[in-house]
Amino acid sequence: MPKIKIADKAGFCFGVRRAIDLAEKTVAKEQKVYTLGPIIHNPQEVQRIKNKGIEILKDPKRIKSGSVILRTHGIPLNIHKQLEENININIIDATCPFVKRAQDIVKRLSTDKKSKDKIIIVVGEKVHPEVVALVSYGNGNCVVIENVKEAQDFKGNSDLSIVSQTTQAPKNFDNIVKTLKERYKVKIFNTICKATFDRQKAAEKLAKNVNLMIVIGGKNSGNTTRLAQICSDKTKTYHIETVDDIKERWFKNVNSIGLTAGASTPDWIIKDVERKVKEFDAKCYISNKI
Ligand code: SF4
């Protein structure tokens, strides 16, 4: 009789919950509501919001009037300004406060007298929307570094300030800082969000104690993919988006099953998965404790 355990921290983080709440409140009282790109990295939740009447657009020029909800991980500064210039557009800023903090630090570093000529290293994924937006606040002073190899190859002619994409793995950030410190004077701004770290720790702890882990979340979600990687280092792991991805054969000869979910996975999907897994063994014992 397998036991199903859910990680201590799983599913919506503070920033995502806040963004979804803002979106729901806005669409409940207004007619034309848009987001620029998906508001969060979960296709099913984005579809649910879309069904309520929110239109997702890629091109800001297509929005002539109405309310625009800015996604959790921010938008580039020039696009923000472009939207602000149109008095017929009402901006609902759902950028997570932790992301905002990182943007404010980059903006301050690139404008302050003391630091404006120094290079700002952004530890993160170059193509990730959060990083693209973050770099836009840096007045051309940012260099994005993804890994230790890039830190070793980096050549710059000033002291460095270092910030991070909020969802970076602390270990990668620390290793990059360590590498750069060998050759440069650095000032560190650790802008990694605790929500990501907490989910990773809880998932790892659970994965060590079960035969099978199911990680729930968008395949386009960086933090969910990272959770799946961490779990697969400890036990057999499947990354799924919805109940439809679950296969009964996974549960043969399995004594304990762990569930976790990325920061953009809504509770209703987690509950669906839990229900489906229970169907495979009606006598499953559900515990929320590790
Ligand atoms: S993961 Fe952290 S930074 Fe990103 S939205 Fe959630 S709380 Fe904000």
Side-chain angles (χ1 to χ4, degrees), residues 206-243:
L206 181 55
K208 279 183 194 162
N209 294 300
V210 293
N211 308 127
L212 173 71
M213 275 301 288
I214 297 180
V215 180
I216 316 156
K219 293 277 165 74
N220 61 343
S221 158
N223 80 78
T224 310
T225 306
R226 181 78 194 121
L227 280 182
Q229 283 165 355
I230 289 169
C231 293
S232 63
D233 284 346
K234 304 293 170 199
T235 192
K236 181 92 184 153
T237 299
Y238 295 101
H239 176 175
I240 63 164
E241 282 197 354
T242 68
V243 282

mmCIF file of all heavy atoms in Angstrom, residues 206-243:
data_model
loop_
_atom_site.group_PDB
_atom_site.id
_atom_site.type_symbol
_atom_site.label_atom_id
_atom_site.label_comp_id
_atom_site.label_asym_id
_atom_site.label_seq_id
_atom_site.Cartn_x
_atom_site.Cartn_y
_atom_site.Cartn_z
ATOM 1 N N LEU A 206 12.194 15.278 0.477
ATOM 2 C CA LEU A 206 11.161 14.271 0.223
ATOM 3 C C LEU A 206 11.678 13.174 -0.726
ATOM 4 O O LEU A 206 11.469 11.988 -0.491
ATOM 5 C CB LEU A 206 9.920 14.957 -0.364
ATOM 6 C CG LEU A 206 8.713 14.080 -0.689
ATOM 7 C CD1 LEU A 206 8.274 13.277 0.536
ATOM 8 C CD2 LEU A 206 7.550 14.933 -1.180
ATOM 9 N N ALA A 207 12.376 13.602 -1.774
ATOM 10 C CA ALA A 207 12.865 12.644 -2.784
ATOM 11 C C ALA A 207 13.792 11.588 -2.169
ATOM 12 O O ALA A 207 13.822 10.441 -2.608
ATOM 13 C CB ALA A 207 13.568 13.387 -3.910
ATOM 14 N N LYS A 208 14.517 11.988 -1.113
ATOM 15 C CA LYS A 208 15.439 11.049 -0.449
ATOM 16 C C LYS A 208 14.680 9.929 0.248
ATOM 17 O O LYS A 208 15.245 8.895 0.556
ATOM 18 C CB LYS A 208 16.247 11.815 0.612
ATOM 19 C CG LYS A 208 17.428 12.578 0.063
ATOM 20 C CD LYS A 208 18.148 13.220 1.239
ATOM 21 C CE LYS A 208 19.116 14.269 0.786
ATOM 22 N NZ LYS A 208 19.494 15.186 1.876
ATOM 23 N N ASN A 209 13.408 10.174 0.545
ATOM 24 C CA ASN A 209 12.643 9.229 1.371
ATOM 25 C C ASN A 209 11.510 8.501 0.660
ATOM 26 O O ASN A 209 10.681 7.885 1.308
ATOM 27 C CB ASN A 209 12.065 9.992 2.586
ATOM 28 C CG ASN A 209 13.167 10.468 3.504
ATOM 29 O OD1 ASN A 209 13.928 9.674 4.039
ATOM 30 N ND2 ASN A 209 13.302 11.777 3.634
ATOM 31 N N VAL A 210 11.442 8.616 -0.658
ATOM 32 C CA VAL A 210 10.374 7.913 -1.384
ATOM 33 C C VAL A 210 10.968 7.127 -2.559
ATOM 34 O O VAL A 210 12.097 7.391 -2.988
ATOM 35 C CB VAL A 210 9.290 8.908 -1.910
ATOM 36 C CG1 VAL A 210 8.522 9.541 -0.761
ATOM 37 C CG2 VAL A 210 9.898 9.963 -2.817
ATOM 38 N N ASN A 211 10.169 6.188 -3.101
ATOM 39 C CA ASN A 211 10.636 5.395 -4.259
ATOM 40 C C ASN A 211 10.373 6.115 -5.568
ATOM 41 O O ASN A 211 10.973 5.791 -6.597
ATOM 42 C CB ASN A 211 9.911 4.057 -4.348
ATOM 43 C CG ASN A 211 9.955 3.284 -3.067
ATOM 44 O OD1 ASN A 211 8.935 2.879 -2.566
ATOM 45 N ND2 ASN A 211 11.146 3.093 -2.528
ATOM 46 N N LEU A 212 9.419 7.034 -5.527
ATOM 47 C CA LEU A 212 9.012 7.682 -6.779
ATOM 48 C C LEU A 212 8.593 9.128 -6.500
ATOM 49 O O LEU A 212 7.856 9.381 -5.554
ATOM 50 C CB LEU A 212 7.811 6.905 -7.358
ATOM 51 C CG LEU A 212 7.111 7.502 -8.569
ATOM 52 C CD1 LEU A 212 7.991 7.395 -9.789
ATOM 53 C CD2 LEU A 212 5.793 6.790 -8.825
ATOM 54 N N MET A 213 9.083 10.040 -7.324
ATOM 55 C CA MET A 213 8.663 11.448 -7.185
ATOM 56 C C MET A 213 7.903 11.862 -8.436
ATOM 57 O O MET A 213 8.309 11.542 -9.557
ATOM 58 C CB MET A 213 9.888 12.370 -7.081
ATOM 59 C CG MET A 213 10.483 12.543 -5.715
ATOM 60 S SD MET A 213 9.411 13.214 -4.434
ATOM 61 C CE MET A 213 9.229 14.927 -4.884
ATOM 62 N N ILE A 214 6.825 12.598 -8.225
ATOM 63 C CA ILE A 214 6.112 13.206 -9.347
ATOM 64 C C ILE A 214 6.212 14.714 -9.156
ATOM 65 O O ILE A 214 5.812 15.254 -8.118
ATOM 66 C CB ILE A 214 4.642 12.743 -9.386
ATOM 67 C CG1 ILE A 214 4.605 11.230 -9.617
ATOM 68 C CG2 ILE A 214 3.868 13.475 -10.483
ATOM 69 C CD1 ILE A 214 3.227 10.631 -9.667
ATOM 70 N N VAL A 215 6.783 15.363 -10.155
ATOM 71 C CA VAL A 215 6.963 16.820 -10.093
ATOM 72 C C VAL A 215 5.956 17.437 -11.062
ATOM 73 O O VAL A 215 5.966 17.128 -12.258
ATOM 74 C CB VAL A 215 8.412 17.211 -10.468
ATOM 75 C CG1 VAL A 215 8.598 18.717 -10.392
ATOM 76 C CG2 VAL A 215 9.403 16.514 -9.557
ATOM 77 N N ILE A 216 5.097 18.304 -10.546
ATOM 78 C CA ILE A 216 3.997 18.830 -11.351
ATOM 79 C C ILE A 216 4.266 20.287 -11.733
ATOM 80 O O ILE A 216 4.557 21.119 -10.865
ATOM 81 C CB ILE A 216 2.660 18.766 -10.569
ATOM 82 C CG1 ILE A 216 2.525 17.414 -9.859
ATOM 83 C CG2 ILE A 216 1.471 19.032 -11.477
ATOM 84 C CD1 ILE A 216 1.602 17.454 -8.652
ATOM 85 N N GLY A 217 4.139 20.580 -13.022
ATOM 86 C CA GLY A 217 4.316 21.979 -13.444
ATOM 87 C C GLY A 217 4.608 22.087 -14.922
ATOM 88 O O GLY A 217 4.891 21.086 -15.591
ATOM 89 N N GLY A 218 4.511 23.312 -15.431
ATOM 90 C CA GLY A 218 4.711 23.571 -16.850
ATOM 91 C C GLY A 218 6.073 23.077 -17.338
ATOM 92 O O GLY A 218 7.083 23.248 -16.642
ATOM 93 N N LYS A 219 6.093 22.504 -18.534
ATOM 94 C CA LYS A 219 7.378 22.092 -19.120
ATOM 95 C C LYS A 219 8.181 23.337 -19.482
ATOM 96 O O LYS A 219 9.383 23.289 -19.676
ATOM 97 C CB LYS A 219 7.128 21.213 -20.360
ATOM 98 C CG LYS A 219 6.497 19.849 -20.018
ATOM 99 C CD LYS A 219 7.540 18.831 -19.590
ATOM 100 C CE LYS A 219 6.981 17.599 -18.907
ATOM 101 N NZ LYS A 219 6.319 16.618 -19.691
ATOM 102 N N ASN A 220 7.484 24.488 -19.563
ATOM 103 C CA ASN A 220 8.157 25.758 -19.861
ATOM 104 C C ASN A 220 8.571 26.498 -18.581
ATOM 105 O O ASN A 220 9.042 27.630 -18.636
ATOM 106 C CB ASN A 220 7.250 26.666 -20.701
ATOM 107 C CG ASN A 220 5.946 27.035 -19.985
ATOM 108 O OD1 ASN A 220 5.561 26.383 -19.020
ATOM 109 N ND2 ASN A 220 5.276 28.077 -20.456
ATOM 110 N N SER A 221 8.373 25.864 -17.437
ATOM 111 C CA SER A 221 8.717 26.517 -16.176
ATOM 112 C C SER A 221 10.113 26.097 -15.729
ATOM 113 O O SER A 221 10.360 24.925 -15.435
ATOM 114 C CB SER A 221 7.682 26.137 -15.107
ATOM 115 O OG SER A 221 8.231 26.305 -13.815
ATOM 116 N N GLY A 222 11.003 27.075 -15.689
ATOM 117 C CA GLY A 222 12.392 26.801 -15.307
ATOM 118 C C GLY A 222 12.484 26.231 -13.902
ATOM 119 O O GLY A 222 13.223 25.280 -13.656
ATOM 120 N N ASN A 223 11.699 26.776 -12.971
ATOM 121 C CA ASN A 223 11.847 26.316 -11.584
ATOM 122 C C ASN A 223 11.280 24.907 -11.401
ATOM 123 O O ASN A 223 11.790 24.134 -10.599
ATOM 124 C CB ASN A 223 11.295 27.349 -10.586
ATOM 125 C CG ASN A 223 9.801 27.317 -10.438
ATOM 126 O OD1 ASN A 223 9.270 26.457 -9.761
ATOM 127 N ND2 ASN A 223 9.099 28.250 -11.071
ATOM 128 N N THR A 224 10.251 24.536 -12.196
ATOM 129 C CA THR A 224 9.716 23.163 -12.100
ATOM 130 C C THR A 224 10.726 22.173 -12.685
ATOM 131 O O THR A 224 10.968 21.095 -12.118
ATOM 132 C CB THR A 224 8.365 23.040 -12.853
ATOM 133 O OG1 THR A 224 7.500 24.090 -12.433
ATOM 134 C CG2 THR A 224 7.706 21.708 -12.584
ATOM 135 N N THR A 225 11.321 22.540 -13.807
ATOM 136 C CA THR A 225 12.324 21.666 -14.433
ATOM 137 C C THR A 225 13.491 21.431 -13.474
ATOM 138 O O THR A 225 14.007 20.324 -13.338
ATOM 139 C CB THR A 225 12.827 22.307 -15.746
ATOM 140 O OG1 THR A 225 11.685 22.590 -16.548
ATOM 141 C CG2 THR A 225 13.770 21.415 -16.506
ATOM 142 N N ARG A 226 13.876 22.484 -12.773
ATOM 143 C CA ARG A 226 14.972 22.385 -11.803
ATOM 144 C C ARG A 226 14.585 21.451 -10.645
ATOM 145 O O ARG A 226 15.389 20.651 -10.187
ATOM 146 C CB ARG A 226 15.294 23.795 -11.298
ATOM 147 C CG ARG A 226 16.395 23.906 -10.313
ATOM 148 C CD ARG A 226 17.788 23.825 -10.954
ATOM 149 N NE ARG A 226 18.787 23.614 -9.919
ATOM 150 C CZ ARG A 226 19.615 22.579 -9.874
ATOM 151 N NH1 ARG A 226 19.637 21.698 -10.835
ATOM 152 N NH2 ARG A 226 20.474 22.444 -8.895
ATOM 153 N N LEU A 227 13.319 21.555 -10.206
ATOM 154 C CA LEU A 227 12.837 20.656 -9.139
ATOM 155 C C LEU A 227 12.955 19.201 -9.592
ATOM 156 O O LEU A 227 13.387 18.337 -8.830
ATOM 157 C CB LEU A 227 11.364 20.935 -8.818
ATOM 158 C CG LEU A 227 11.009 22.112 -7.915
ATOM 159 C CD1 LEU A 227 9.500 22.166 -7.708
ATOM 160 C CD2 LEU A 227 11.709 22.022 -6.569
ATOM 161 N N ALA A 228 12.563 18.962 -10.848
ATOM 162 C CA ALA A 228 12.622 17.594 -11.382
ATOM 163 C C ALA A 228 14.073 17.100 -11.431
ATOM 164 O O ALA A 228 14.353 15.932 -11.115
ATOM 165 C CB ALA A 228 11.982 17.552 -12.764
ATOM 166 N N GLN A 229 14.993 17.991 -11.798
ATOM 167 C CA GLN A 229 16.417 17.594 -11.840
ATOM 168 C C GLN A 229 16.908 17.218 -10.446
ATOM 169 O O GLN A 229 17.567 16.200 -10.250
ATOM 170 C CB GLN A 229 17.285 18.756 -12.344
ATOM 171 C CG GLN A 229 17.225 18.954 -13.847
ATOM 172 C CD GLN A 229 17.797 20.315 -14.252
ATOM 173 O OE1 GLN A 229 18.148 21.147 -13.411
ATOM 174 N NE2 GLN A 229 17.853 20.550 -15.546
ATOM 175 N N ILE A 230 16.575 18.052 -9.480
ATOM 176 C CA ILE A 230 17.018 17.815 -8.094
ATOM 177 C C ILE A 230 16.477 16.475 -7.596
ATOM 178 O O ILE A 230 17.195 15.680 -6.997
ATOM 179 C CB ILE A 230 16.572 18.983 -7.178
ATOM 180 C CG1 ILE A 230 17.400 20.231 -7.505
ATOM 181 C CG2 ILE A 230 16.688 18.637 -5.699
ATOM 182 C CD1 ILE A 230 16.902 21.517 -6.884
ATOM 183 N N CYS A 231 15.189 16.226 -7.866
ATOM 184 C CA CYS A 231 14.566 14.970 -7.404
ATOM 185 C C CYS A 231 15.166 13.760 -8.114
ATOM 186 O O CYS A 231 15.369 12.716 -7.496
ATOM 187 C CB CYS A 231 13.058 15.012 -7.635
ATOM 188 S SG CYS A 231 12.242 16.239 -6.618
ATOM 189 N N SER A 232 15.436 13.909 -9.417
ATOM 190 C CA SER A 232 15.933 12.749 -10.156
ATOM 191 C C SER A 232 17.346 12.360 -9.719
ATOM 192 O O SER A 232 17.787 11.246 -9.965
ATOM 193 C CB SER A 232 15.857 12.974 -11.665
ATOM 194 O OG SER A 232 16.688 14.027 -12.014
ATOM 195 N N ASP A 233 18.053 13.259 -9.051
ATOM 196 C CA ASP A 233 19.353 12.889 -8.476
ATOM 197 C C ASP A 233 19.183 11.966 -7.274
ATOM 198 O O ASP A 233 20.126 11.316 -6.841
ATOM 199 C CB ASP A 233 20.109 14.146 -8.007
ATOM 200 C CG ASP A 233 20.707 14.910 -9.180
ATOM 201 O OD1 ASP A 233 20.765 14.337 -10.273
ATOM 202 O OD2 ASP A 233 21.085 16.085 -8.985
ATOM 203 N N LYS A 234 17.989 11.960 -6.699
ATOM 204 C CA LYS A 234 17.749 11.189 -5.468
ATOM 205 C C LYS A 234 16.901 9.942 -5.676
ATOM 206 O O LYS A 234 17.046 8.962 -4.952
ATOM 207 C CB LYS A 234 17.037 12.074 -4.411
ATOM 208 C CG LYS A 234 17.777 13.353 -4.072
ATOM 209 C CD LYS A 234 19.088 13.079 -3.366
ATOM 210 C CE LYS A 234 19.923 14.337 -3.245
ATOM 211 N NZ LYS A 234 21.341 14.061 -2.996
ATOM 212 N N THR A 235 15.951 10.010 -6.641
ATOM 213 C CA THR A 235 15.059 8.864 -6.839
ATOM 214 C C THR A 235 14.435 8.912 -8.235
ATOM 215 O O THR A 235 14.616 9.904 -8.962
ATOM 216 C CB THR A 235 13.955 8.863 -5.744
ATOM 217 O OG1 THR A 235 13.280 7.613 -5.781
ATOM 218 C CG2 THR A 235 12.939 9.966 -5.912
ATOM 219 N N LYS A 236 13.690 7.877 -8.587
ATOM 220 C CA LYS A 236 12.985 7.845 -9.873
ATOM 221 C C LYS A 236 11.984 9.015 -9.910
ATOM 222 O O LYS A 236 11.194 9.187 -8.987
ATOM 223 C CB LYS A 236 12.245 6.501 -9.958
ATOM 224 C CG LYS A 236 11.492 6.298 -11.222
ATOM 225 C CD LYS A 236 12.354 5.585 -12.218
ATOM 226 C CE LYS A 236 11.676 5.446 -13.545
ATOM 227 N NZ LYS A 236 12.613 5.348 -14.642
ATOM 228 N N THR A 237 12.050 9.817 -10.981
ATOM 229 C CA THR A 237 11.238 11.047 -11.007
ATOM 230 C C THR A 237 10.558 11.242 -12.354
ATOM 231 O O THR A 237 11.160 10.984 -13.400
ATOM 232 C CB THR A 237 12.158 12.267 -10.727
ATOM 233 O OG1 THR A 237 12.740 12.113 -9.445
ATOM 234 C CG2 THR A 237 11.398 13.579 -10.776
ATOM 235 N N TYR A 238 9.299 11.678 -12.306
ATOM 236 C CA TYR A 238 8.596 12.054 -13.529
ATOM 237 C C TYR A 238 8.140 13.502 -13.420
ATOM 238 O O TYR A 238 7.579 13.889 -12.392
ATOM 239 C CB TYR A 238 7.372 11.150 -13.762
ATOM 240 C CG TYR A 238 7.731 9.712 -14.027
ATOM 241 C CD1 TYR A 238 7.629 8.763 -13.014
ATOM 242 C CD2 TYR A 238 8.183 9.312 -15.277
ATOM 243 C CE1 TYR A 238 7.969 7.435 -13.248
ATOM 244 C CE2 TYR A 238 8.526 7.983 -15.518
ATOM 245 C CZ TYR A 238 8.411 7.058 -14.510
ATOM 246 O OH TYR A 238 8.757 5.748 -14.744
ATOM 247 N N HIS A 239 8.379 14.269 -14.485
ATOM 248 C CA HIS A 239 7.887 15.655 -14.547
ATOM 249 C C HIS A 239 6.615 15.638 -15.398
ATOM 250 O O HIS A 239 6.659 15.288 -16.578
ATOM 251 C CB HIS A 239 8.973 16.538 -15.178
ATOM 252 C CG HIS A 239 8.565 17.971 -15.386
ATOM 253 N ND1 HIS A 239 9.439 18.930 -15.843
ATOM 254 C CD2 HIS A 239 7.393 18.622 -15.199
ATOM 255 C CE1 HIS A 239 8.815 20.090 -15.934
ATOM 256 N NE2 HIS A 239 7.564 19.924 -15.552
ATOM 257 N N ILE A 240 5.499 16.015 -14.800
ATOM 258 C CA ILE A 240 4.232 16.009 -15.541
ATOM 259 C C ILE A 240 3.599 17.393 -15.496
ATOM 260 O O ILE A 240 3.901 18.199 -14.612
ATOM 261 C CB ILE A 240 3.230 14.978 -14.967
ATOM 262 C CG1 ILE A 240 2.854 15.334 -13.508
ATOM 263 C CG2 ILE A 240 3.778 13.571 -15.022
ATOM 264 C CD1 ILE A 240 1.623 14.612 -13.019
ATOM 265 N N GLU A 241 2.706 17.644 -16.458
ATOM 266 C CA GLU A 241 1.958 18.910 -16.418
ATOM 267 C C GLU A 241 0.574 18.713 -15.808
ATOM 268 O O GLU A 241 0.101 19.557 -15.062
ATOM 269 C CB GLU A 241 1.823 19.495 -17.828
ATOM 270 C CG GLU A 241 3.089 20.178 -18.310
ATOM 271 C CD GLU A 241 2.853 21.106 -19.489
ATOM 272 O OE1 GLU A 241 1.739 21.154 -20.029
ATOM 273 O OE2 GLU A 241 3.827 21.800 -19.869
ATOM 274 N N THR A 242 -0.083 17.583 -16.177
ATOM 275 C CA THR A 242 -1.438 17.339 -15.677
ATOM 276 C C THR A 242 -1.628 15.850 -15.403
ATOM 277 O O THR A 242 -0.758 15.032 -15.729
ATOM 278 C CB THR A 242 -2.506 17.745 -16.729
ATOM 279 O OG1 THR A 242 -2.415 16.846 -17.825
ATOM 280 C CG2 THR A 242 -2.329 19.160 -17.209
ATOM 281 N N VAL A 243 -2.800 15.509 -14.889
ATOM 282 C CA VAL A 243 -3.110 14.099 -14.613
ATOM 283 C C VAL A 243 -3.010 13.227 -15.856
ATOM 284 O O VAL A 243 -2.697 12.045 -15.760
ATOM 285 C CB VAL A 243 -4.551 13.920 -14.058
ATOM 286 C CG1 VAL A 243 -4.620 14.295 -12.618
ATOM 287 C CG2 VAL A 243 -5.557 14.670 -14.869
#
